[in-house]
Amino acid sequence: MPATAAVRVRRAELSDLDDLVALEESSFATDRLSRAQYRRHLDSETAQVLVASANHRRFLGTAVVFFRKGTRVARLYSIATRAEARGKGVGSALLEAAEQTARRRRCKVLRLEVRTDNEAAISLYERLGYERIGRYKRYYGDGADAWRYEKAVA
């Protein structure tokens, strides 16, 4: 993908399901969303699945945002970018779209968890204004710790 290619983010559709599952499986060793979970989230009022593409629908990445009734806090549950698209603005575009989605839902904050050893993601979140607010011991299925971050979006 050329660095100048425009990244477009849209709501995922049922036709994206195979690409979503393939990216999930190639991106995460544990704590993966299943095909059935993605299918459920595509039609859910409490989830928004976003996909990033460039050059006529070429699938580059995804983000999943959860919303809960009675709270103004949205949660970035998952974000993943195809290996060949990393460092080219896909993650930034997905985060910006997730923040816009949270604002449209009248949320004030977007929260997320990230593995403490995921330096690339941590760097991205901090560069885009996310603040570290806590740590979870043994948060992930493989026993890895997580940092918790949040950003005011409203």
Side-chain angles (χ1 to χ4, degrees), residues 20-146:
L20 290 166
V21 173
L23 181 59
E24 188 79 7
E25 290 176 357
S26 68
S27 298
F28 306 110
T30 62
D31 301 290
R32 292 180 182 151
L33 285 168
S34 69
R35 181 179 201 83
Q37 286 171 314
Y38 265 119
R39 178 72 187 86
R40 211 169 30 253
H41 296 325
L42 288 173
D43 293 329
S44 174
E45 281 295 309
T46 58
Q48 182 91 288
V49 181
L50 304 169
V51 295
S53 59
N55 302 331
H56 309 292
R57 291 187 49 90
R58 181 147 177 260
F59 187 90
L60 300 174
T62 183
V64 179
V65 184
F66 288 158
F67 305 94
R68 287 176 58 195
K69 289 185 181 189
T71 179
R72 293 263 177 119
V73 178
R75 181 171 175 230
L76 179 69
Y77 180 78
S78 179
I79 186 167
T81 303
R82 287 175 56 128
E84 65 271 21
R86 290 185 189 134
K88 298 187 173 148
V90 176
S92 296
L94 284 164
L95 276 172
E96 185 176 308
E99 292 168 12
Q100 288 173 355
T101 299
R103 273 193 292 280
R104 278 196 301 273
R105 296 277 193 115
R106 295 196 167 101
C107 292
K108 296 197 175 292
V109 173
L110 183 60
R111 262 189 205 143
L112 61 92
E113 296 81 31
V114 60
R115 291 176 68 99
T116 56
D117 60 359
N118 189 342
E119 294 175 15
I122 291 167
S123 174
L124 173 67
Y125 299 141
E126 291 181 352
R127 183 167 42 83
L128 294 179
Y130 287 79
E131 294 182 28
R132 188 179 298 173
I133 60 166
R135 182 181 188 130
Y136 291 122
K137 295 283 190 184
R138 303 187 55 77
Y139 182 77
Y140 292 100
D142 65 356
D145 290 356

